[in-house]
Amino acid sequence: LGESWKIIHKDIIKEIVLNSFYGVPFYITFENIETVTKQLKMIIQTENILLSDIFPIELILEELIVYQQNYWLNLYIDFIIEMAVLNQQIVNTLLKTKNNKVFTQSVRHKIRKVILTNGYEY
């Protein structure tokens, strides 16, 4: 809100200043996707900003792939879908998982479906 966020998790309130937003434990966002996406959409609309202005979409995605975080990548794809932020850069990053056996087959199929459903080439 304004220059900061308040994250409430298990009755603990943590204030995050946007300048230090990269240090936020993003698992809180991904495991509470329904609530968080509603709040993010509201902030984006009321502040007339892009999600990428306050949330490092591509950076997080890249990190999940580089560090082979199968579980979190699966949740993050749901976040990308819910927030409707799929773009060519995200597609290119997701394509890195195309033949990577570290990621489960179900995650790779989900990625393929998301890419093809949105009109991008797989």
Side-chain angles (χ1 to χ4, degrees):
L1 307 173
E3 291 295 313
S4 66
W5 282 31
K6 288 191 183 212
I7 297 176
I8 303 168
H9 181 67
K10 294 185 179 179
D11 296 328
I12 297 170
I13 299 174
K14 183 174 182 180
E15 188 165 332
I16 306 296
V17 179
L18 290 182
N19 293 340
S20 65
F21 194 64
Y22 289 97
V24 174
F26 289 105
Y27 64 86
I28 294 171
T29 301
F30 306 147
E31 288 188 335
N32 298 284
I33 192 168
E34 187 175 308
T35 303
V36 170
T37 54
K38 286 178 187 173
Q39 292 174 0
L40 282 172
K41 287 177 181 178
M42 182 189 69
I43 290 169
I44 290 166
Q45 290 173 353
T46 57
E47 297 294 324
N48 198 26
I49 57 175
L50 299 172
L51 178 62
S52 59
D53 292 336
I54 60 170
F55 198 88
I57 303 163
E58 287 86 2
L59 177 63
I60 296 169
L61 180 59
E62 188 70 38
E63 293 292 309
L64 294 174
I65 292 172
V66 168
Y67 291 103
Q68 304 172 348
Q69 299 295 313
N70 188 74
Y71 173 76
W72 298 113
L73 178 59
N74 186 39
L75 292 179
Y76 198 59
I77 293 167
D78 292 337
F79 176 78
I80 288 170
I81 294 166
E82 184 65 30
M83 292 303 296
V85 293
L86 191 67
N87 60 35
Q88 189 62 54
Q89 184 177 349
I90 292 172
V91 168
N92 292 341
T93 303
L94 285 173
L95 286 174
K96 294 178 183 179
T97 65
K98 186 176 184 177
N99 298 315
N100 191 335
K101 302 292 185 201
V102 169
F103 298 103
T104 63
Q105 187 173 1
S106 64
V107 169
R108 288 182 283 141
H109 282 299
K110 186 180 203 177
I111 290 169
R112 183 177 190 276
K113 182 179 178 184
V114 167
I115 291 172
L116 292 175
T117 302
N118 286 280
Y120 293 95
E121 288 188 33
Y122 188 76

